[in-house]
Amino acid sequence: MTEPSGPGGTSPGRKADPSTSSGDPAQIRSFVARDAEADARQAARRAHAEASALLRHSRDVVAILETDYSVRWISESIEDLTGHPAERYLGSLHLDVHPDDLQVAIEQAEASGLSRPGATTLYTMRLAHRLGGWRWCEMHLSNQLDDPLVRGLVANFHDITRRKAATDDAAFQAHLLASVGDAVVAADDEGRITYMNRAALRFGGWSLEEVVGQPVPEVFPRPTAGEAIHDVMRTVRDGHPWSGELAFDLPDGRRRWIMANLAQIREGQGAGGVIGVATDITSQVRDRQHLESRERMQSEVSRLGQMALATHELGAVAAAIADSAGQTLGLDACAIAEHVGDDQSLIRASWGSYPFPVGTAPVTSGKLDLQRLVDDLDGPLLVEDFETDPRFMDALPEEGSEYRSGVIVRIGSPTRRFGTLTALSVEHRGFPAHERRFLESLTTILSTAVERAEADRRLTQMGLHDTLTGLPNRVLLRERIDRATARTARRDRTLAVLLVDLDRFKLLNDAMGHGAGDRLLVAVARRLQHAVATSDTVARLGGDEFAVLCESAEDLDDVFDLASNLSTALAPPFEIDGTEVFVTASIGISAHRSGTTTSDTFLREADAAMYRAKDSGRAGYEVYNPALQERAAHRLDTTTALRRALDRDELTVAWQPEVPLSGDPEGDPHADPHGDLGRGELWAEALVRWNHPQLGVVGPAAFIELAEETGLIVPLGEVVLHAALRQLRTWLSQDDGSPRRISINLSPRQLSQSALVGTVEAALAEHDIDPTHVVFEITESAVMENPDAAVRRLNELHDLGLGLAVDDFGTGYSSLSYLRRLPVSQLKIDRAFISGVTHHEADEAIVRGTIELAHALGLVVVAEGVETVEQRARLLEMGCDRAQGYLWSRPVPATELDHILIELSSHRR
Ligand code: C2E
Ligand code: CA
Ligand code: CA
């Protein structure tokens, strides 16, 4: 630049005459004239010539201004700057200064006291160029009024347009970097931070002074995701740009994730350094991790639920659960303790660094009743910090010492607690709600497994006897019949089985209440026992059905005598709760002399005979008559008739609602059950009926088995399928509370047909039904008959989008684990368990356990055969989703169901 030549060569301090050809020679001459001495004049003239040359060749511009800023003199070099010759400016008030800058300049001059002699000030201003546009100048102005040679203001200025453009650029870039939302960090070739923009500083709440000069890995410590930060830095310094996710922990321990792009700085002095641009993706990463961990938890719950179904070993289930909790949540320790007495627990499973091994009983401090603490809570007990938690002030649980935080969850219910699950971490850990829920699900699985183990134990314990009366049950009776049969083979004696069924017991039971009914059954059992010989067996087969195995009879007459003895024994009134009750029984007899008759045959014949007895007016006995074998012939008749029925469209579908229980907002156990029909979405099961021309409506019990045997079930099934879908079409097109989803029964034979799926698909299309409205019911035994084919078929149906339900659940108890292989969405608990749910502990345990496990597996549970409000209340309390039974409606024609619903809705209005 022209800087050095400017002030040095033209300083008014040298009192040089700055005259040029374009200056004012007269004035300059008058200065010189004051000097009298000729030599001096000579020297001055030379100096003057030198100064003039200097000014001519200088690129700086010099000017002398009057106090009113008008130009007295200006150097030629102004032409280089503005394109105008110097003459243009003489006497003028301004130098074509940009109006904005002029205003500023005047203000600045006043502010800096330029009117004082010797004062100076520096301006930056724009001058107009002849060709248009502006030139930036830096102008130094000094007051030289007291210099006799000048007596004016000396201006000295030069072009800074290029410099100005460059610095403006840099300022702009810096501003840009500072204001972008992304974090920008630069580091030198040693990896020390040289720059961080605002967004980057905000990240850790740092100040620029704090971080500049610090090594990058120290400011962004402990990378845990992706590559370690110094490896990344090395890669970048070797010239390879890098982008990816990085994690680091802030000084306060919070973990942040960034998506970063790093590159080498190539230009200028920063060469070898690294620049990184990063976006904070912490919340996205959190969301992603949250989702992943949720999925992991869900699959763990389902895996463990299935395991609990498949195994009876509680220890193994507990160990798997402790394992899963530990690994899924990344704990330091986890334990499952069984509560074995006051203040006493036994470790059943432990994981990680838990200090007490399985089988030991840690001594509790006594001051702290952990169990009570957990019992008092609705959900899991969360301890954020054992040391500061007031609940642990008096005493730390022995395991609390080295752990910082934890969650303790009760296993079982407050009334039926099993123990606790303890999850521990050495770190301060939040255990968010979804993690606590996960732990709760694990304990639910475990408590269900516990209940199931208990039910199993009870079942085997009482396996052979009826709990109410203490009499042998059906299983034991069969065993005794078969043993006796073997004996009579050698002794040639009469063996008889008498089936004793109380008349109208159900009425009595309903009228007196179940407790009284039970007492009556016990009394009946006692009288029957007194009426038989000691070698005979009295058994209770269930409900109001008893059986006597008579091994003491010589001939059939003895058996008839026994039958009338039994009737006589029941004749006197029973006194139950202070009232006299009269009981009669219908007795069916099966008697054989040969030793080849099986218990099955005995019981079936006795059953048939008993029904005859009932038919012929009750309170009597009938002996099984081979003439009854007519039934076999009758069967043939039925086959032909059934075939004809199919041809003549005599088959219809009856509907039985499956009402929602959980839809009851208050879950009121005493609500009018009728209301369930109009609450929530109604479902219904299709049950086939035969409109027999002579016999009237015949239920499936009379012909389904036969249809199955003969294969007629296949066309029959198709008739039902079409009838059911047709009805569903009608219901779906009206919006009046009519069923939204239907169940259709599938028999084993149907399931084994490879054409089934095609038939179903075509029928759905024909009736324009979305498959999600249809559920097929299959029994466990249907699957067991041909598991591979069944599973394949069910998967095909499932793939079509149909729902699948396991029907009569519980009757195939041993094959529970099969559920796992089936794509089922629903489970229907068999009527047999529901009828016992209010007064049989084992039934209640099984139903409760089944509901909880089914829920753990994500299945909808439907209870079958609900007949009483008590059963409904119990099921509601157990969380059963739906129920079906006479309590709401018998299976009825669609029109009748429509009527019920219309009536219901008019009641509501
Ligand atoms: P399921 O599938 O278990 O049907 C339920 C049976 O329980 C029905 O008998 C129903 O009337 C009866 N039920 C419902 N609620 C109660 C109650 O509260 N108390 C009592 N005691 N019983 C109740 P249903 O209609 O006689 O049918 C008998 C069986 O015949 C059905 O048992 C099912 O296995 C079979 N079935 C019915 N329709 C079809 C069909 O279209 N195809 C096939 N393959 N089987 C069918
Ligand atoms: Ca069914
Ligand atoms: Ca069923």
Side-chain angles (χ1 to χ4, degrees), residues 227-242 264 274:
E227 293 173 61
I229 204 157
H230 28 264
D231 290 348
V232 171
M233 293 283 287
R234 196 172 317 125
T235 314
V236 175
R237 266 182 274 152
D238 288 347
H240 309 288
W242 183 92
Q264 201 178 15
V274 171

Side-chain angles (χ1 to χ4, degrees), residues 69 109-117 119-121 123 141-143 153:
Y69 301 110
E110 273 160 23
S112 61
L114 196 67
S115 49
R116 265 186 297 109
T120 64
T121 184
Y123 300 107
L141 194 63
S142 79
N143 182 329
L153 305 170

Side-chain angles (χ1 to χ4, degrees), residues 506 652-654 656-657 685-689 698-705 708 713 716-717 719-721 743-748 750 777 779 807-808 828 830-831 863-868 871 884-891:
K506 194 178 169 332
T652 61
V653 171
Q656 188 175 32
E685 179 175 6
L687 294 159
V688 67
R689 295 290 181 264
V698 178
F703 59 90
I704 281 288
E705 208 181 312
E708 177 74 11
I713 191 76
L716 184 151
V719 168
V720 172
L721 177 67
S743 293
I744 300 174
N745 293 284
L746 274 189
S747 77
Q750 284 172 284
E777 296 188 2
T779 57
D807 206 352
D808 304 342
K828 300 187 79 168
D830 195 68
R831 191 161 77 225
E864 297 188 314
V866 177
E867 296 183 347
T868 67
Q871 289 165 351
Q884 169 179 15
Y886 294 170
L887 180 61
W888 294 276
S889 168
R890 291 179 174 263

Side-chain angles (χ1 to χ4, degrees), residues 706-725:
L706 185 69
E708 177 74 11
E709 275 171 35
T710 55
L712 280 174
I713 191 76
V714 174
L716 184 151
E718 244 180 278
V719 168
V720 172
L721 177 67
H722 278 279
L725 294 185

